[in-house]
Amino acid sequence: KAGVTQTPRYLIKTRGQQVTLSCSPISGHRSVSWYQQTPGQGLQFLFEYFSETQRNKGNFPGRFSGRQFSNSRSEMNVSTLELGDSALYLCASTPGGTVYEQYFGPGTRLTVT
Amino acid sequence: AQSVTQLGSHVSVSEGALVLLRCNYSSSVPPYLFWYVQYPNQGLQLLLKYTTGATLVKGINGFEAEFKKSETSFHLTKPSAHMSDAAEYFCAVSQESSGDKLTFGTGTRLAVRP
């Protein structure tokens, strides 16, 4: 099976712009979670989607949003980018339904200038 | 609420020496515990997990961890370090009530000296 894929792998944006990141889970996986990784804050949970519904949400401002499509692919969007949004954004998938180990993609490195 | 503490942000061992990475957790309900490894410019790879049952868990690449409820610990060990083990290691906790949300520790960077 193919692993979790994330596009793009690298992205440079300017403050105030918005960005959309994409994640394709492992085939058959219905749950997709997003995490932000920064040197200062470490790995922080953003949100989780299961069957197109947001099931869980972390403590991030409303500028961070996401969605999941019927084929389980997910996107996250960050509006009005700030310098502090520079981070590695990781997507992870699981079959869903109960607690499983999560399978992570390689991440999208976002740099805000 | 759940949380994870990893003692030691940097650990250095000699090749062939024992690796011990410490993880303590806090959880109000029975936890699910995980160790992940991250190599530079890559995502996270699962090393091992504890959900229920046997408290000594064996993972990939010769790693193992023991769940000790009385000590609220889940330390990661490997008898003999290899140069390829140099990476960052993350302990994480989850609960059935929180779905697939993982709470991570701050990570331990392992260096292996030749």
Side-chain angles (χ1 to χ4, degrees):
Chain A
K1 274 187 180 178
V4 177
T5 58
Q6 293 187 244
T7 56
R9 290 292 312 276
Y10 301 91
L11 206 49
I12 300 175
K13 290 286 188 179
T14 304
R15 262 185 310 175
Q17 289 185 315
Q18 73 161 13
V19 67
T20 299
L21 311 181
S22 181
C23 171
S24 293
I26 291 172
S27 177
H29 284 193
R30 296 166 62 193
S31 171
V32 173
S33 299
W34 289 89
Y35 294 84
Q36 181 196 64
Q37 185 177 24
T38 60
Q41 299 298 316
L43 280 154
Q44 293 188 288
F45 173 78
L46 280 156
F47 28 65
E48 180 217 349
Y49 286 86
F50 178 75
S51 293
E52 302 180 64
T53 301
Q54 188 180 85
R55 189 163 67 170
N56 221 331
K57 190 177 187 305
N59 297 321
F60 278 82
R63 300 184 298 106
F64 292 82
S65 63
R67 61 177 175 168
Q68 188 180 34
F69 302 95
S70 58
N71 62 359
S72 294
R73 190 178 70 86
S74 178
E75 289 181 347
M76 67 162 281
N77 183 276
V78 187
S79 62
T80 320
L81 284 165
E82 300 177 359
L83 294 178
D85 297 334
S86 295
L88 180 66
Y89 290 88
L90 293 163
C91 166
S93 76
T94 77
T98 184
V99 179
Y100 290 91
E101 63 267 28
Q102 298 196 18
Y103 296 86
F104 283 80
T108 293
R109 173 76 61 186
L110 172 65
T111 302
V112 182
T113 62
Chain B
Q2 55 195 27
S3 65
V4 174
T5 301
Q6 290 184 243
L7 291 176
S9 58
H10 290 83
V11 170
S12 180
V13 300
S14 297
E15 191 173 20
L18 171 72
V19 176
L20 171 60
L21 304 183
R22 300 179 185 275
C23 171
N24 288 87
Y25 69 90
S26 172
S27 176
S28 57
V29 297
Y32 298 90
L33 295 160
F34 307 84
W35 274 100
Y36 284 87
V37 61
Q38 186 177 35
Y39 298 98
N41 299 315
Q42 293 187 26
L44 303 175
Q45 180 184 8
L46 179 71
L47 283 175
L48 48 79
K49 65 176 180 180
Y50 169 79
T51 53
T52 58
T55 56
L56 182 62
V57 180
K58 294 187 185 298
I60 62 171
N61 302 339
F63 285 94
E64 63 181 36
E66 187 170 10
F67 171 62
K68 291 187 177 181
K69 184 178 179 181
S70 60
E71 299 177 8
T72 61
S73 69
F74 191 58
H75 301 329
L76 182 71
T77 60
K78 182 174 180 177
S80 177
H82 192 272
M83 297 296 290
S84 61
D85 295 327
E88 189 151 23
Y89 292 80
F90 293 93
C91 182
V93 64
S94 185
Q95 303 169 354
E96 193 160 358
S97 61
S98 61
D100 290 327
K101 173 185 175 182
L102 286 172
T103 299
F104 285 91
T106 51
T108 297
R109 187 168 298 278
L110 175 66
V112 182
R113 303 185 303 272

